Amino acid sequence: MRLTTLGTGTVSLSPSRVCAGHLVQRGAVHLLLDCGSGVAHRLVQQNLDWAGITHVAFSHFHTDHISDFATLVQAWRYGQLPPRSAELVVIGPVGTVDLLRRMADFHGDWLRQPGFPIAVIELAPGATHDLGDGMAIGCTKVPHTDESVAYSINAGGRRIVYTGDMGYDPMFAEWARGADVLLCECSLPDSMAVPAHLTPRQAGALAAIAAPRRLVLTHFYPPVEFVDIAAEVAEHYSGPVTLATDGWSTEV
Ligand SMILES: [Zn+2]
Ligand SMILES: [Zn+2]
């Protein structure tokens, strides 16, 4: 699998980091994990096949994770000739069907019927879904909003775990144990810590339990970049750590 971190920032606006979004590709499967503001244009900037995305998975319904979805659908419908005809599969927590209905109520019927089929898979915690080409996606509940989930993407014996947004939860770390890549939010420094997000030390403590082959950090609010993130993570986790940037990519 190829993982590309497209958006490593938040709604605390940054000139170098757009809102959350990450691409996982293998064979014909092009899975976009979250789709926040700026992610659609990052796909183009990175010369990625934006027209060929097959799946979009939402970790939760905060604006910084969903707001470019309508932009992408509009691009697939009106931004290319011929328009898209291939089915799109949208994956998300329970409530995703209603989310898309409310989006269409606001944007218009073109979002409900864009000229290509949209299948919606509401994935309950513990469930898995076959993505095709030997890939599967599963999820678990994480503490952030009522619907928030973390995702596990498996293919060919490799595993990527993506936290979405979350507060500290050792049970999650047990679920993530043995991932090849743990793509983990790292929102705020200790001085600004809140229960719904992780600090670098908390991300390190989760990684110490999960023991991924590589810890990749994302979802940085600007203040967290004023502390020595790698050093604080290393107080708990001694494995390799990457502070992702928009456009960073790795083979998993
Ligand atoms: Zn959130
Ligand atoms: Zn967020």
Side-chain angles (χ1 to χ4, degrees), residues 118-156:
I118 298 181
V120 184
I121 309 290
E122 291 191 340
L123 209 56
T128 60
H129 175 73
D130 183 359
L131 298 167
D133 267 9
M135 285 175 75
I137 188 168
C139 71
T140 194
K141 182 85 192 73
V142 288
H144 182 65
T145 59
D146 285 348
E147 77 280 3
S148 292
V149 295
Y151 284 116
S152 173
I153 300 100
N154 297 59

Side-chain angles (χ1 to χ4, degrees), residues 2-248:
R2 174 148 291 275
L3 167 67
T4 304
T5 54
L6 296 164
T8 59
T10 69
V11 284
S12 190
L13 301 177
S14 156
S16 59
R17 301 183 187 278
V18 303
C19 293
H22 311 286
L23 188 66
V24 181
Q25 298 166 285
R26 175 182 155 105
V29 177
H30 301 260
L31 165 67
L32 186 60
L33 294 169
D34 284 331
C35 191
S37 173
V39 168
H41 283 85
R42 281 285 191 254
L43 285 164
V44 181
Q45 286 171 339
Q46 296 301 318
N47 210 19
L48 293 162
D49 181 14
W50 63 273
I53 286 173
T54 55
H55 300 74
V56 176
F58 297 124
S59 64
H60 65 296
F61 304 153
H62 275 158
T63 299
D64 59 319
H65 296 251
I66 66 169
S67 65
D68 256 8
F69 177 73
T71 302
L72 264 184
V73 173
Q74 194 174 36
W76 288 323
R77 173 68 181 83
Y78 299 109
Q80 59 177 348
L81 287 173
R84 180 183 181 122
S85 57
E87 180 184 68
L88 175 74
V89 179
V90 177
I91 298 161
V94 174
T96 299
V97 169
D98 189 53
L99 172 78
L100 296 185
R101 182 187 58 74
R102 285 182 286 117
M103 273 190 195
D105 286 348
F106 170 69
H107 285 282
D109 269 343
W110 61 266
L111 190 58
R112 214 179 314 271
Q113 294 183 323
F116 55 87
I118 298 181
V120 184
I121 309 290
E122 291 191 340
L123 209 56
T128 60
H129 175 73
D130 183 359
L131 298 167
D133 267 9
M135 285 175 75
I137 188 168
C139 71
T140 194
K141 182 85 192 73
V142 288
H144 182 65
T145 59
D146 285 348
E147 77 280 3
S148 292
V149 295
Y151 284 116
S152 173
I153 300 100
N154 297 59
R158 297 300 178 97
R159 184 180 183 212
I160 297 168
V161 170
Y162 171 49
T163 61
D165 289 0
M166 66 176 289
Y168 185 73
D169 180 7
M171 292 286 286
F172 159 80
E174 294 288 348
W175 178 82
R177 192 184 285 274
D180 293 281
V181 166
L182 174 56
L183 178 58
C184 184
E185 77 123 277
C186 183
S187 290
L188 294 163
D190 285 344
S191 60
M192 300 175 74
V194 295
H197 285 295
L198 297 173
T199 66
R201 286 188 174 89
Q202 289 174 322
L206 290 177
I209 301 168
R213 284 162 57 105
R214 175 170 295 276
L215 175 64
V216 179
L217 298 175
T218 185
H219 204 271
F220 301 106
Y221 283 77
V224 79
E225 301 204 61
F226 289 104
V227 304
D228 188 341
I229 293 172
E232 294 189 359
V233 168
E235 291 175 15
H236 298 282
Y237 170 71
S238 57
V241 179
T242 297
L243 276 58
T245 53
D246 290 16
W248 180 80

